[in-house]
Amino acid sequence: MSGQSLLVPGELSPTRSVPGNIRRPEYVGKPAPTPYTGPEVQTPETIEAMRTAGRIAARAMEEAAKLIAPGVTTDELDRVAHAYMCDHGAYPSTLGYRGFPKSLCTSVNEVICHGIPDSTVLRDGDIVNLDVTAYIGGVHGDNNATYLVGDVDEESRLLVERTRESLARAIKAVRPGRQINIIGRVIESYAKRFGYGVVRDFTGHGINSSFHSGLIIPHYDSPHATTVIQPGMTFTIEPMLTLGTHEYDMWDDGWTVVTKDRKRTAQFEHTLVVTETGAEILTLP
């Protein structure tokens, strides 16, 4: 594995502004969102709106990813994604969600998820996950991907490649009539081939007009995930695989989640809608 030194928190830049004409999610300015009480199966109108939100989120992530290189700060990636979403009439969903201070998450090396963009400088050999969610038309679209920074060691490169493959396999397993736990079963069985840990306490989730609807999508074979998949359901799948343990620590910022053994971790995510025969990815650029 790469011998990079462990991450430490950097300095935060001032909060970025969003034009006043862009609609805010209801949770902005509040300590927590209002609990979602609507259905998990969405109307065709909501699904079409989510295609728009998902496309903007995917393109914002692509624009930020173009800058990934040694010497670039994670705050600069945030600036680019923020500008793209605002320029396309979307609100960056993470900005102000439960107090999160930035417009995307940047999770480097041992950070499992929810890393806060700051003055941290990407180094040759790092891996970095970008997690971008856009809110427009009253709905959210959520996606993430892990990227290589410069010349990355083989163990890390394979972790990233196989985590992407685990998501692809999980998406193929989605079928109406199956239970949600088929998703985690497919991911966990694939990850075990390589001795990877599968993060358990951070999951995929229902998404629609609510950022997190309450529907939980485990990435391991959970006996409790017995909800039956139905056409029109919208949710994310976002496996987090590790080179070591699935256990974690959290930084004092209350957001940044790192592997307990500080080994590297990768993640990929799409927002999906269940069709009559499988799943459609809503977060394609």
Side-chain angles (χ1 to χ4, degrees), residues 9 12 31 97-101 105 111 113-116 202 248-258:
L12 284 180
Y97 179 79
R98 297 185 182 271
F100 192 84
C105 301
V111 179
C113 57
H114 304 158
I116 300 174
F202 300 90
Y248 67 93
D249 294 319
M250 187 174 288
W251 283 3
D252 291 342
D253 61 23
W255 283 105
T256 306
V257 179
V258 295

Side-chain angles (χ1 to χ4, degrees), residues 2 30 41 43 50 75-76 97 100 121 127 133 165 200 235 251 253:
S2 169
K30 295 164 55 176
V41 172
T43 66
M50 289 181 67
D75 186 65
E76 181 68 3
Y97 179 79
F100 192 84
V121 176
I127 60 175
T133 311
E165 174 65 15
R200 300 167 79 91
F235 53 81
W251 283 3
D253 61 23

Side-chain angles (χ1 to χ4, degrees), residues 112-178:
I112 294 171
C113 57
H114 304 158
I116 300 174
D118 58 18
S119 61
T120 296
V121 176
L122 296 176
R123 301 161 298 181
D124 187 57
D126 283 343
I127 60 175
V128 57
N129 178 274
L130 305 186
D131 192 339
V132 182
T133 311
Y135 178 79
I136 188 171
V139 297
H140 301 268
D142 185 3
N143 68 161
N144 77 54
T146 303
Y147 299 89
L148 310 181
V149 185
D151 185 17
V152 175
D153 67 273
E154 181 75 354
E155 186 178 40
S156 299
R157 188 188 65 76
L158 285 172
L159 173 69
V160 171
E161 180 181 301
R162 290 164 176 167
T163 306
R164 181 192 293 111
E165 174 65 15
S166 77
L167 173 60
R169 289 171 180 242
I171 292 171
K172 288 179 182 176
V174 174
R175 292 284 188 283
R178 291 179 171 177

